[in-house]
Amino acid sequence: MSSAQFVQYLISGITLGSVYALVGLGFTIIYAVTKIINFAQGEFVMLGGLLSFTLIHRAGLPLVPALILAILIAAAVGATMYLLAIRPPRKASVVSLIIITIGAAIFIRGIAGQELTKDFVRLPSFSGEESISFLGAHIDPQALWIIGTMVVVTIILHLFLNYTMVGKALKACAINPVASSLVGINPKTMALIAFVLASALGGIGGVVLAPLTPLSYQAGIMLGLKGFVAAAIGGFKSPVAAVFGGLLLGIIESFAVAANWGPFNSAYKDAIALVVLLLILLVRSGKLAEEERAG
Amino acid sequence: MRNYLKYAVVLVLVAAVLALGSIGCSTKEEGGATPTPALTPYKVGALFASSGFNSTLGQTQKPTVEMLVDQINKAGGINGHPLEVIMYDTKSDTATAATLANKLIEQGVVAIIGPTSTGESMAVKPIANQAGVTLVSCAAGSVIVQPVGNYTWVFNTPQLDYVAIERLYIYLQEQNITKIALLTDTAGFGAAGRKWLVNTDMLSKYGLTIVPDGDQTYGTSDVDMQAQLTKISGTAAQAIVCWGTNPGPAIIARNMKTLGMTIPLLCSHGIAFKSFIDTAGSAANGIVFCAGKLPIVDQLPDTDPQKALLEKYKTDFEAWYGSGITNTFGGHAYDALMMVVDALKAVGPDKAKIRDYIENDIVNWPGTGGVYNMSPQNHNGLPSDPKQAMILVKIVNGQWTWLQD
Amino acid sequence: MLARLKRNWLYLAIAAVIAFFIVIPFGWFLGQYTTLMIFIGIYTIVTVGLCLLMGYTGQVSLGQAAFFGMGAYISAILTTTSGFNPWLAMLIAAVITGAFAYIIGYPIFRLKGNYLAMATLGLGLIMWILFKQLNQSFGEPDGISGIPYLSIGGFAFDSSFRMYFLVWAFCLAVLLISQNIVRSRTGRALRAIHGSEAASESIGINVVRVKVKILVLGAVYASLAGSLFAHHLRYVGAQPFDFLASVKLVVMAVIGGLASIWGAIFGAGTTHILSDEILLRFGDWDVVVYGLILVLVMIFMPEGLFVKLKEVFERLRLRYRRKGVEP
């Protein structure tokens, strides 16, 4: 393959990976703080896209306010989901929580389909549609927005978690919830913050993705799964790890198509990512088992 | 002993629930629909994919049928009998479709229209055939009705899948294109198309070859196809044929624009939706696709046998459901239902007679998909000449334009 | 007389239930539920395996639909492309699926809790992708059609009526076998592990080996159910075996009560009645209601509906007893 092609594959892999990273960040934050896998994460991305479209076309809002409001609403939905569905069950087992988040995802998806729209929606590109040339490859300007947003969000998140009181409290809760509660950090509040953060992140992801790709009310399923894989590759540890996982996933998918598997590239690229995930899980299984027993 | 007691108790509870449910349900079924009708309603079953991965296709089918039922009943029903269509959502799932088909049959429908996709139709086909209930599928798979064989109860209304591919290949040949690349959706509609696109007889008939590395696929939920397109741009392909429904082709069109690819993009009737033009934006211009006549109905000459019917469908449906949403897939449901309605008008609610009517008396029958001529050997009824069965549409300035030759 | 009736009450109850089950396929107003009951029977078989796995080992499997699908696809492929005898194909499918479970069992069970769930999810997804490819290779793009009926000699199971009895015969066999297992040494080992893995290890139980055994058992059950599924619908597509299908199976197991065998009927039954009968009334809103119900049931009755009902009944029974009437 030529160098221009290589760069092209790399760029589309990074673009895709940035979306996965944004979703994966949400998974990671919630898991780190609450040990819950939130299968509704993908739905927040969907909400970001669909809500902004609806606000623009049905409520007549201009672009930027619609985007911001969409993200806020997504965050609100996340908070509500936590308060109504996650907090009440006291001694819920792993199984129950998984089913609850899946049930919530189905519920949110259904309502979005009924109340917002069942069609595919696309937002106008933020800065036009002229593709940009770079090292022989072409980039859609929206892709730069996606990558840029991901980078900015990650930096802000990093600063938040390490340099603010609330952020450090979140980190503490993630490391050891019992010890944190002993020093006065309320794990329930932290969990709420984690959910709000994660759903806001999802919403942001949806808002920057919608101009690039048409989204429908069912878009959350696949995006959620991919984001989950991204977070899992990153080990559910830190935002940076999730971003790494997401980018790796995107690049693997892109180059899997480049490789010569015949017409089944598309299917195999999904499978490869999953195999990578499984290998990572198995290779680290010893260490992971210890963590489970400790935490 | 105590353990058995617990189990027995629960089983009794389950039984009670089922029994109550059945009593509750059956009263709902029979008493539900129309209050004290003068004559007994004619019951027809309908299975459409209103959700799931086939929902783009099935989206307009349910409202089309609802609209028609409303129109028919307001005009006095069929020979005075109200028409009752029991409609279920298959959720694009074949097992659900089969279960629901059984349910409809057990509820005593005289015919079933739908399902939306070939997969679902294949699952329902043996069930309907064995039960002696006419099935008029709204899916394009040729496997559904060819060969007719023992499946004498099964018909379909859309142009058969290979007809669409042939129509595009004829066009490519006329444009002197010999080397092509494919980009198809891995699921249902796209995969069925691919099967014919790569068919060696089909390719050689029109002097086409698929370039090496040119046979690419994408997943239904994929958000970016730049990798596949990059691969294709490195080949000698003179055109890309894309088979799939929203959002895939829209993403592909935009990706091609981003990558600066200028070779022509040809698509299937899976993009014959206004939402395609909305989501693809300016990248949609220049795309050629094959379709039934509905998208360009206003450009048809008044002498066209389908024009009046198509215009009425478009106007009525847009008034009923919303503007800009009429598409050929809803039309397949229209044709299926109206065939059954005509049969009911002629022979009444007799399952075997309905089947015979559709097989023998649907002749020179104008529908949204074309002019139908059913026969014992041809349970599709549309012309086999691709140029007659389907037309070509080119998107110019965001509008559908009839591409005549 | 009354006292004797009460003593024989439970026999009467069992007899009534059995009579009910037998009557269903014969028609009248219950006949329309024959197909529903066939599916409940098939899914019960899968659910039992999952109940045992999740109940006794305490680990979630988010990929059980993979085993279900393997049985269906192997049966479908062998009978349509190579003309195998359907029973032989079913057997081969069960063996292959069981072997597969055995091979992945040891590495998988090194993971625990959420990570095990993730691994099962991943495996389930990979199998689903494989199934979609098999569709392309062996049948029409969306699935494999033309699967023959099961038959013994000249007697073909070609109607809902006949399939109903076949499926429930399998189901009953599976339930009884499982009950036997739970009472055997393996069963005791299972209960020990459920209580405390560390303690079981210390008395010499090879925990991983027992877990793998249960995984294989569940896989074999699921495979058999899958074959029955294929021969009933005579068409297999990939959708009944996707991630959401695995989730549905977990829901069935939880509602039926983990570690409960006969509860599996209840779990499979209520889930199916819910989605096939009740939710239909809601039209387009059915998905929304389904999601809501899932959330509510898990919040208020996490041990499962079945167990909750048992509790309620026990309480009623005690109150009844206290009123001085001896059974």
Side-chain angles (χ1 to χ4, degrees):
Chain A
M1 95 181 63
S2 69
S3 67
Q5 282 186 323
F6 179 83
V7 177
Q8 191 71 62
Y9 287 125
L10 192 62
I11 304 256
S12 70
I14 293 179
T15 310
L16 217 48
S18 301
V19 179
Y20 298 156
L22 282 168
V23 188
L25 276 173
F27 270 106
T28 303
I29 291 178
I30 292 184
Y31 186 81
V33 176
T34 64
K35 295 290 173 293
I36 299 175
I37 302 178
N38 177 19
F39 281 103
Q41 191 59 32
E43 308 308 318
F44 296 113
V45 180
M46 177 272 292
L47 281 179
L50 258 68
L51 280 171
S52 16
F53 183 84
T54 314
L55 288 169
I56 294 178
H57 287 252
R58 255 197 255 168
L61 285 175
L63 183 66
V64 176
L67 298 181
I68 297 178
L69 192 55
I71 297 173
L72 289 176
I73 296 178
V77 171
T80 316
M81 176 181 147
Y82 170 72
L83 291 172
L84 291 182
I86 312 275
R87 195 184 270 195
R90 302 289 182 77
K91 293 223 184 123
S93 62
V94 171
V95 190
S96 303
L97 285 169
I98 288 177
I99 298 179
I100 289 178
T101 59
I102 293 177
I106 295 176
F107 181 77
I108 295 174
R109 197 180 310 145
I111 298 229
Q114 289 297 110
E115 294 297 316
L116 296 179
T117 174
K118 282 204 162 160
D119 255 332
F120 282 92
V121 304
R122 192 171 77 82
L123 293 175
S125 292
F126 292 170
S127 51
E129 302 196 356
E130 279 302 307
S131 69
I132 301 172
S133 240
F134 179 74
L135 295 182
H138 305 263
I139 314 180
D140 186 314
Q142 192 63 28
L144 291 177
W145 277 97
I146 295 178
I147 300 174
T149 307
M150 188 271 292
V151 169
V152 167
V153 162
T154 311
I155 294 177
I156 294 180
L157 207 54
H158 181 77
L159 293 174
F160 173 73
L161 287 173
N162 290 307
Y163 296 99
T164 66
M165 279 303 282
V166 184
K168 285 199 253 192
L170 266 178
K171 251 184 111 177
C173 204
I175 297 175
N176 191 329
V178 180
S180 328
S181 64
L182 286 177
V183 296
I185 299 174
N186 185 342
K188 291 200 177 141
T189 316
M190 290 301 115
L192 178 63
I193 295 177
F195 266 83
V196 168
L197 258 182
S199 36
L201 282 170
I204 293 175
V207 150
V208 289
L209 181 62
L212 186 69
T213 309
L215 294 174
S216 80
Y217 74 104
Q218 300 188 81
I221 307 175
M222 254 312 163
L223 284 173
L225 278 173
K226 294 280 170 76
F228 168 80
V229 175
I233 293 179
F236 286 99
K237 287 276 177 49
S238 65
V240 178
V243 168
F244 170 74
L247 290 174
L248 184 65
L249 181 60
I251 294 175
I252 290 177
E253 288 195 358
S254 193
F255 280 96
V257 174
N260 227 337
W261 303 95
F264 301 122
N265 296 342
S266 173
Y268 291 160
K269 77 164 165 29
D270 290 336
I272 287 178
L274 289 167
V275 170
V276 167
L277 168 66
L278 281 176
L279 286 174
I280 292 181
L281 279 176
L282 289 175
V283 161
R284 299 175 58 202
S285 60
K287 193 156 167 253
L288 292 174
E290 272 173 45
E291 281 169 26
E292 277 291 316
R293 246 172 276 167
Chain B
M1 198 58 100
R2 187 168 278 187
N3 289 328
Y4 281 123
L5 179 68
K6 289 185 189 170
Y7 301 142
V9 161
V10 172
L11 288 178
V12 167
L13 278 169
V14 171
V17 167
L18 286 177
L20 285 171
S22 65
I23 297 173
C25 290
S26 37
T27 38
K28 250 204 169 139
E29 229 71 272
E30 275 125 49
T34 35
T36 56
L39 296 170
T40 53
Y42 287 162
K43 287 202 272 193
V44 174
L47 294 170
F48 297 126
S50 306
S51 62
F53 66 91
N54 286 323
S55 58
T56 325
L57 303 176
Q59 201 188 356
T60 48
Q61 292 177 334
K62 178 163 179 256
T64 297
V65 169
E66 286 171 341
M67 174 189 83
L68 288 171
V69 170
D70 183 69
Q71 284 180 352
I72 291 173
N73 283 334
K74 285 213 170 93
I78 303 175
N79 296 335
H81 294 259
L83 174 63
E84 184 189 328
V85 177
I86 304 176
M87 237 179 321
Y88 290 129
D89 176 12
T90 62
K91 299 193 172 47
S92 307
D93 182 55
T94 49
T96 312
T99 319
L100 292 170
N102 269 311
K103 203 171 150 73
L104 286 171
I105 293 172
E106 281 156 3
Q107 286 175 296
V109 299
V110 296
I112 299 179
I113 57 175
T116 308
S117 75
T118 306
E120 298 164 62
S121 303
M122 291 306 286
V124 172
K125 181 176 159 183
I127 297 173
N129 202 61
Q130 186 164 49
V133 173
T134 311
L135 179 70
V136 188
S137 163
C138 298
S142 45
V143 292
I144 301 174
V145 293
Q146 282 181 351
V148 175
N150 288 328
Y151 290 99
T152 52
W153 294 83
V154 181
F155 302 83
N156 77 342
T157 54
Q159 297 88 347
L160 297 178
D161 45 11
Y162 61 79
V163 169
I165 280 112
E166 273 208 80
R167 187 67 192 88
L168 277 187
Y169 277 6
I170 293 175
Y171 173 75
L172 284 170
Q173 190 181 43
E174 289 169 354
Q175 300 291 311
N176 291 323
I177 291 178
T178 52
K179 299 197 178 64
I180 59 170
L182 303 177
L183 197 43
T184 56
D185 188 331
T186 48
F189 186 77
R194 178 178 170 276
K195 203 177 74 170
W196 289 106
L197 288 166
V198 301
N199 180 289
T200 40
D201 295 329
M202 185 76 81
L203 287 166
S204 52
K205 187 170 173 192
Y206 298 101
L208 296 165
T209 45
I210 301 176
V211 296
D213 280 354
D215 186 3
Q216 295 289 329
T217 59
Y218 63 92
T220 320
S221 326
D222 283 357
V223 299
D224 181 87
M225 273 57 109
Q226 286 192 43
Q228 290 93 327
L229 286 167
T230 307
K231 200 105 207 235
I232 291 177
S233 66
T235 67
Q238 300 164 297
I240 300 181
V241 178
C242 168
W243 217 264
T245 56
N246 253 352
I251 299 175
I252 291 170
R254 299 195 63 233
N255 283 164
M256 281 179 75
K257 188 150 179 261
T258 306
L259 292 174
M261 293 176 80
T262 50
I263 54 177
L265 177 63
L266 290 95
C267 294
S268 68
H269 45 303
I271 67 162
F273 293 82
K274 186 153 175 299
S275 56
F276 172 77
I277 301 181
D278 290 338
T279 47
S282 54
N285 291 326
I287 296 180
V288 172
F289 64 97
C290 58
K293 291 183 181 159
L294 189 55
I296 47 95
V297 60
D298 39 350
Q299 296 162 42
L300 290 171
D302 290 338
T303 49
D304 187 295
Q306 289 174 267
K307 183 166 183 179
L309 189 145
L310 288 171
E311 279 188 325
K312 181 163 192 296
Y313 175 47
K314 186 164 174 212
T315 325
D316 290 348
F317 193 65
E318 297 197 350
W320 177 269
Y321 196 58
S323 77
I325 202 99
T326 329
N327 61 65
T328 49
F329 294 96
H332 299 322
Y334 181 105
D335 295 336
L337 182 65
M338 293 315 287
M339 281 184 198
V340 172
V341 165
D342 278 0
L344 281 168
K345 242 186 241 173
V347 304
D350 179 319
K351 295 179 191 166
K353 287 195 187 149
I354 291 176
R355 187 214 79 89
D356 292 341
Y357 183 90
I358 294 183
E359 188 178 69
N360 298 304
D361 297 297
I362 300 280
V363 168
N364 267 334
W365 194 93
T368 67
V371 178
Y372 290 86
N373 286 290
M374 298 278 193
S375 76
Q377 300 81 31
N378 185 347
H379 275 202
N380 172 249
L382 287 175
S384 46
D385 175 8
K387 278 194 152 180
Q388 283 190 21
M390 278 192 144
I391 55 145
L392 292 172
V393 178
K394 187 167 183 170
I395 301 179
V396 177
N397 284 332
Q399 299 289 331
W400 289 320
T401 314
W402 190 7
L403 197 66
Q404 306 178 57
D405 29 45
Chain C
M1 216 307 259
L2 214 63
R4 211 197 302 166
L5 247 183
K6 287 192 175 75
R7 209 181 306 140
N8 295 326
W9 173 88
L10 93 93
Y11 293 112
L12 280 177
I14 294 181
V17 168
I18 294 178
F20 180 76
F21 267 78
I22 295 183
V23 154
I24 287 184
F26 280 94
W28 310 309
F29 67 79
L30 285 178
Q32 57 177 307
Y33 297 111
T34 311
T35 317
L36 174 68
M37 291 300 289
I38 292 178
F39 279 109
I40 293 180
I42 292 178
Y43 278 94
T44 302
I45 298 175
V46 190
T47 309
V48 174
L50 194 54
C51 277
L52 288 175
L53 177 69
M54 284 175 46
Y56 286 109
T57 66
Q59 310 294 336
V60 189
S61 167
L62 288 176
Q64 200 70 2
F67 299 132
F68 186 37
M70 280 179 77
Y73 268 90
I74 297 176
S75 269
I77 294 174
L78 288 178
T79 52
T80 54
T81 50
S82 312
F84 271 66
N85 175 306
W87 298 106
L88 184 59
M90 187 188 288
L91 188 62
I92 296 178
V95 169
I96 296 180
T97 311
F100 177 72
Y102 187 77
I103 295 174
I104 63 163
Y106 283 97
I108 285 277
F109 280 119
R110 294 205 301 195
L111 298 164
K112 303 270 161 65
N114 274 320
Y115 295 109
L116 177 62
M118 284 180 221
T120 58
L121 208 178
L123 277 171
L125 280 176
I126 292 178
M127 288 311 295
W128 174 62
I129 292 174
L130 182 65
F131 293 150
K132 288 203 287 182
Q133 289 315 109
L134 289 177
N135 284 339
Q136 303 248 10
S137 315
F138 289 102
E140 305 89 46
D142 256 348
I144 303 176
S145 68
I147 303 174
Y149 288 117
L150 287 163
S151 53
I152 302 180
F155 182 82
F157 290 96
D158 57 359
S159 66
S160 291
F161 183 83
R162 295 179 182 183
M163 259 324 243
Y164 175 89
F165 287 108
L166 181 67
V167 165
W168 280 95
F170 264 83
C171 190
L172 216 58
V174 161
L175 288 167
L176 291 171
I177 291 176
S178 305
Q179 188 147 38
N180 251 323
I181 291 179
V182 165
R183 293 200 178 152
S184 71
R185 257 186 89 195
T186 315
R188 289 197 290 275
L190 278 174
R191 265 170 286 162
I193 294 173
H194 187 50
S196 163
E197 281 190 30
S200 327
E201 290 260 15
S202 68
I203 58 169
I205 297 178
N206 185 337
V207 173
V208 180
R209 216 173 80 185
V210 176
K211 284 186 180 179
V212 172
K213 265 199 211 173
I214 285 298
L215 182 70
V216 170
L217 184 71
V220 168
Y221 284 168
S223 173
L224 291 173
S227 301
L228 287 172
F229 184 82
H231 288 289
H232 171 60
L233 273 187
R234 301 209 293 147
Y235 181 92
V236 285
Q239 194 160 6
F241 315 115
D242 63 5
F243 173 58
L244 285 174
S246 286
V247 169
K248 263 209 194 132
L249 287 170
V250 170
V251 171
M252 284 184 218
V254 172
I255 289 183
L258 303 177
S260 151
I261 298 172
W262 295 86
I265 303 183
F266 188 74
T270 45
T271 313
H272 269 90
I273 294 177
L274 186 67
S275 47
D276 288 359
E277 301 289 324
I278 301 179
L279 288 181
L280 284 180
R281 314 278 165 213
F282 288 96
D284 280 344
W285 288 89
D286 59 352
V287 188
V288 177
V289 175
Y290 181 66
L292 195 61
I293 292 180
L294 271 187
V295 174
L296 291 174
V297 169
M298 282 301 118
I299 293 179
F300 294 107
M301 290 180 275
E303 333 81 34
L305 210 52
F306 183 67
V307 175
K308 198 73 178 191
L309 282 171
K310 276 206 289 185
E311 272 175 32
V312 167
F313 184 75
E314 274 302 308
R315 251 178 271 156
L316 286 174
R317 208 168 70 97
L318 282 171
R319 210 185 303 169
Y320 175 71
R321 248 207 182 148
R322 236 173 262 145
K323 288 202 173 144
V325 186
E326 284 300 315

